[in-house]
């Protein structure tokens, strides 16, 4: 637009008459002949091109070979009598629902499913998520030196190799170890007296840092004006936490639960190093039971069937979390 307040040089009276008519009179838009001929069809609408499909065929086939192929093959092996060593190591065949029938009558399998749920829910979904959230909230208002010190200690337990963490807790839990001294029971070997509790606490100790980092990042991204408005309205710390902070963190909480579930559902190294599923079968989670059946008793077909059940449990839990995330948005 022309500004009449900037001086006489920019007034409409000083604009040439030809230019004035050019900018003031409406003009009709002349469409190209090609556009007129193609009237009724948008030029910017997506079109399928055969060359694009040809370019995508190779990576799609490669991904299918790497991911879908092994899943389908494992699904087939779960219905066979394949063995690692024995008469059915080379000559094996499809056995139908024989492994499923064996699975339903397997007492150790039922116990393994129950122990797996206890391990995942207790040490992962509840333990790691809850303690990680508490640590993130406390460190948010802590002094920088204290925040850095606590964060470094918690993260160190997470970044060390899992086999190292397992040996640390193996030493902690023995008779005369740190756990016994703290609980005033130095003669107790907690890997025998409370094996599942000890394994769950060790997993909680190692994996809490992941949830703490996730929640710390989410807390830093919360809108400050919402928290300031709640404080101006006179809301207490607990009211701000339960009415403002936690509702804003709900999508992050659900996402963290999904990731923690996937990470803990297949945990093998920590449990196998500490107890190897024992004493007896008191810590025989599904990953340990799969290893025992497939590589100790050489029943690869039956071990594959158990692994399919583990995949099914993970898929069901993941679907529930994904639906919850979708409903919170």
């Amino acid at each position: 637009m022309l500004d009449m307040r900037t001086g006489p040089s920019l007034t409409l009276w000083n604009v040439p008459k030809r230019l004035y008519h050019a900018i003031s009179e409406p003009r009709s838009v002349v469409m190209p002949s090609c556009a007129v001929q193609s009237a009724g069809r948008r030029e910017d609408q997506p079109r399928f091109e055969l060359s694009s499909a040809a370019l995508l065929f190779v990576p799609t086939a490669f991904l299918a070979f790497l991911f879908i192929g092994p899943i389908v093959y494992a699904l087939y092996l779960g219905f066979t009598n394949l063995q690692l060593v024995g008469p059915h190591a080379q000559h094996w065949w499809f056995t139908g629902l024989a492994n499923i029938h064996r699975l339903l009558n397997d007492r150790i399998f039922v116990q393994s499913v129950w122990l797996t749920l206890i391990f995942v829910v207790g040490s992962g979904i509840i333990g790691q998520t809850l303690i990680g959230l508490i640590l993130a909230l406390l460190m948010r208002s802590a002094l920088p030196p204290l925040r850095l010190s606590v964060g470094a200690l918690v993260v160190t337990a997470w970044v060390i190799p899992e086999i190292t963490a397992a040996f640390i807790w193996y030493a902690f839990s023995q008779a005369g170890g740190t756990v016994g001294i703290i609980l005033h029971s130095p003669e107790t070997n907690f890997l025998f007296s409370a094996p599942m509790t000890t394994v769950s606490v060790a997993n909680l100790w190692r994996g809490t840092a992941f949830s703490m980092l996730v929640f710390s990042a989410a807390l830093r991204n919360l809108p400050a004006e919402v928290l300031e408005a709640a404080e101006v309205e006179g809301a207490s710390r607990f009211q701000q936490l339960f009415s403002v902070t936690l509702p804003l963190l709900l999508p992050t909480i659900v996402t963290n639960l999904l990731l923690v579930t996937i990470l803990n559902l297949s945990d093998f190294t920590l449990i196998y190093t500490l107890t190897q599923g024992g004493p007896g079968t008191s810590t025989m989670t599904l990953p340990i039971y799969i290893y025992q059946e497939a590589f100790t008793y050489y029943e690869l077909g039956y071990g594959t069937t158990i692994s399919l059940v583990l995949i099914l449990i993970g898929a069901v839990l993941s679907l529930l979390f994904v639906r919850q995330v979708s409903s919170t948005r």
Side-chain angles (χ1 to χ4, degrees), residues 234-258:
S236 64
R237 289 293 182 88
F238 286 99
Q239 289 175 333
Q240 293 180 33
L241 175 62
F242 291 101
S243 300
V244 179
T245 304
L246 291 182
L248 291 175
L249 285 178
L250 185 58
T252 303
I253 293 174
V254 178
T255 303
N256 181 78
L257 289 175
L258 171 62

Side-chain angles (χ1 to χ4, degrees), residues 135-165:
L135 286 174
L137 291 171
L138 293 177
M139 291 173 61
R140 187 186 185 191
S141 57
L143 296 175
L146 181 61
R147 181 168 63 248
L148 292 175
S149 301
V150 175
L153 289 175
V154 177
V155 172
T156 300
W158 182 50
V159 299
I160 61 175
E162 191 171 7
I163 186 68
T164 305

Side-chain angles (χ1 to χ4, degrees), residues 108-121 123 195-197 199-200 203 264-273 275-293 306-307 310 313:
I108 300 178
F109 167 74
V110 177
Q111 182 186 11
S112 297
V113 173
W114 176 245
L115 291 175
T116 302
L117 293 177
I118 292 176
F119 179 77
V120 173
V121 174
S123 68
M196 196 63 200
T197 302
V199 168
S200 299
N203 183 63
N264 288 275
L265 193 62
S266 59
D267 199 336
F268 173 82
T269 305
L270 184 70
I271 303 174
Y272 189 80
T273 305
T275 63
Q276 296 185 5
T281 58
S282 55
T283 57
M284 186 72 70
T285 59
L286 282 176
I288 305 298
Y289 192 44
I290 293 169
Y291 176 84
Q292 175 180 284
E293 289 294 326
I306 304 173
S307 67
L310 182 62
I313 294 174

